[in-house]
Amino acid sequence: MTTRAKQLLSAGMLMTLMLASCSAPNAGKPAPSTPTTSVNISSGPTAPAQPTAPSQTSASSSHLDTMPTQSQQPSPREQAEALANELSVSEQASSLVMAGVPATGASAAEISALKKQGISNVFLRGRSQLSVKQTSVKVQQITQSLEANVPADLPVWVATDQEGGFVRVQQGPGFTELPTALTQGGWSPSKPKRELGAVGKQLVEAGINVNLAPVADVVPAELGTGNAPIGYFGREYAHGATAVAKTMATVNEALHSQGVQPVVKHFPGLGRVAKNTDTNSGVADTKIDANSSDLQPFERAIEQDKSWVMVSNARYAKLDAKNDAPFSSKIITGLLREQMGYEGIVISDDLCEAKQVSYLQVGERAVKFVAAGGTLPLCVESAPAITMAKALAAEAKADGKFAAKVKEAAVKILEEKLSARQAARRQIKRVGPGCFLTR
């Protein structure tokens, strides 16, 4: 795993967690995204509510929590592989899916269904006028239930879409009213870092640890608002690749510094199409190839090593004329991973409501995405997300080669979460005894 994963929990996030759990005046309440039960960092987690082979999982957690010396400490990859080996095929498959729930709060029935399926990653969809504190309560209700689906006391991922302008899920009191990315791109160099750092802090306080931003798409000036998915809404930072890459990197740093995982999108670029893949089918790019300047922002993000990558739903004639990007091994494995050297999490754009991919059954969309090299299929509705998890499990049980891909994706996710936890422990060790994290 790259150093990005090891840096996932920044000093800002760590301080938020420690202040919520160290012995100090007014420090009795847990962090917003955690339940009220505190778990000492040096002890094993409480036995999950519904794991497979609970005694094995508990033993593994206790072993991981003994914190051996650096020379003895297994790498995050080794630990992730050990944890993945303890999961059933169905559990591995469910760990891959990110399910959408209302940003205003998921229903008890919805949370129960996700818990039963073993899903542990959610996306807050829609628009919410809830405050930061109110959002934290809603998020905590989700994470308290779904944390039993994650081995070794690792975190539930809670994502949102907080770009700015028209794309801003969290709009209630306490959340910054960000302007469009195009406006942000025109700010002085220090302002994006300051403003997006504040956004990151607000998200952490609300219990959100993943932001599906920033946008790395390059919309040519001559196309401008004629580009329906990006330019029409001013979601691009600039009209040139170099300027986009510069502001995007600043946003990545600002979010990451507060403990929020950035996600650059929409690989390999959605700035040259006319139609929106959410509302149209047959959307295709005829310009971008493996040497296109539109890839520069993504290359910069990979070098920076702080963000995940989201894949566009469009088709790219010069890269793979036969498959849409989320189903293209040429684009995900060949271009992004092998040619550009990206080793991290690859998340899809929405694979459930997008008209571009509606020609396939929902479960098949997830299967084809993982088969192409993707890690985390995103579905903005919870019921079809559960269908995705079941389809991934069924295909893995029927096909050994696909089962290996599911397991590898599960290992990558666990590795990412383990690296974050280890970074937190190192920080706590430097701060001193008497502090413990809460879940």
Side-chain angles (χ1 to χ4, degrees), residues 145-279:
S145 293
L146 300 188
E147 64 181 357
N149 293 335
V150 194
D153 203 32
L154 297 176
V156 172
W157 278 335
V158 180
T160 193
D161 214 343
Q162 204 79 343
E163 297 175 19
F166 297 97
V167 184
R168 192 166 60 89
V169 173
Q170 313 300 329
Q171 300 183 359
F175 290 106
T176 298
E177 189 174 348
L178 276 176
T180 65
L182 195 56
T183 298
Q184 295 174 41
W187 284 346
S188 62
S190 61
K191 190 172 182 179
K193 184 175 182 179
R194 182 174 66 253
E195 295 293 324
L196 272 298
V199 169
K201 183 178 180 180
Q202 293 155 12
L203 294 178
V204 167
E205 290 174 353
I208 297 166
N209 49 23
V210 179
N211 190 15
L212 304 185
V215 167
D217 303 311
V218 181
V219 180
E222 60 270 23
L223 182 56
T225 57
N227 170 252
I230 309 298
Y232 182 80
F233 299 102
R235 298 172 68 192
E236 74 276 30
Y237 288 112
H239 296 298
T242 300
V244 168
K246 183 178 180 180
T247 303
M248 177 220 64
T250 300
V251 173
N252 275 347
E253 175 62 36
L255 292 171
H256 188 275
S257 70
Q258 297 299 322
V260 175
Q261 176 62 60
V263 180
V264 296
K265 58 188 185 184
H266 307 78
F267 185 83
L270 201 54
R272 295 179 180 272
V273 299
K275 296 181 179 180
N276 190 332
T277 56
D278 289 341
T279 55

Side-chain angles (χ1 to χ4, degrees), residues 355-380:
K355 191 170 182 179
Q356 174 80 4
V357 297
S358 61
Y359 59 92
L360 293 172
Q361 294 295 314
V362 166
E364 188 178 357
R365 299 170 203 174
V367 168
K368 289 175 72 68
F369 174 68
V370 173
T375 316
L376 201 66
L378 167 66
C379 176
V380 298

Side-chain angles (χ1 to χ4, degrees), residues 59-101:
S60 175
S61 299
S62 298
H63 174 71
L64 294 177
D65 289 339
T66 57
M67 296 183 68
T69 62
Q70 186 172 1
S71 61
Q72 298 172 323
Q73 178 71 42
S75 68
R77 173 73 188 191
E78 292 169 331
Q79 294 178 53
E81 289 174 343
L83 290 174
N85 286 336
E86 295 176 358
L87 300 178
S88 68
V89 172
S90 293
E91 288 171 331
Q92 290 176 6
S94 292
S95 75
L96 271 54
V97 176
M98 179 169 278
V101 297

Side-chain angles (χ1 to χ4, degrees), residues 279-358:
T279 55
N280 294 273
S281 59
V283 179
D285 177 289
T286 60
K287 304 291 185 181
I288 295 176
D289 59 26
N291 299 306
S292 174
S293 62
D294 292 52
L295 297 179
Q296 289 180 14
F298 297 100
E299 291 170 344
R300 176 69 184 93
I302 293 170
E303 292 171 359
Q304 190 182 26
D305 203 21
K306 295 183 186 297
S307 56
W308 299 346
V309 174
M310 175 184 284
V311 177
S312 157
N313 276 340
R315 186 166 298 195
Y316 295 82
K318 292 186 176 181
L319 295 173
D320 187 347
K322 296 182 179 180
N323 297 286
D324 291 336
F327 314 134
S328 171
S329 59
K330 291 182 179 179
I331 291 174
I332 298 176
T333 299
L335 177 59
L336 180 59
R337 294 204 183 279
E338 295 176 357
Q339 181 176 318
M340 299 176 67
Y342 179 66
E343 299 177 355
I345 302 292
V346 175
I347 185 172
S348 74
D349 202 343
D350 171 43
L351 292 179
C352 285
E353 295 297 309
K355 191 170 182 179
Q356 174 80 4
V357 297
S358 61

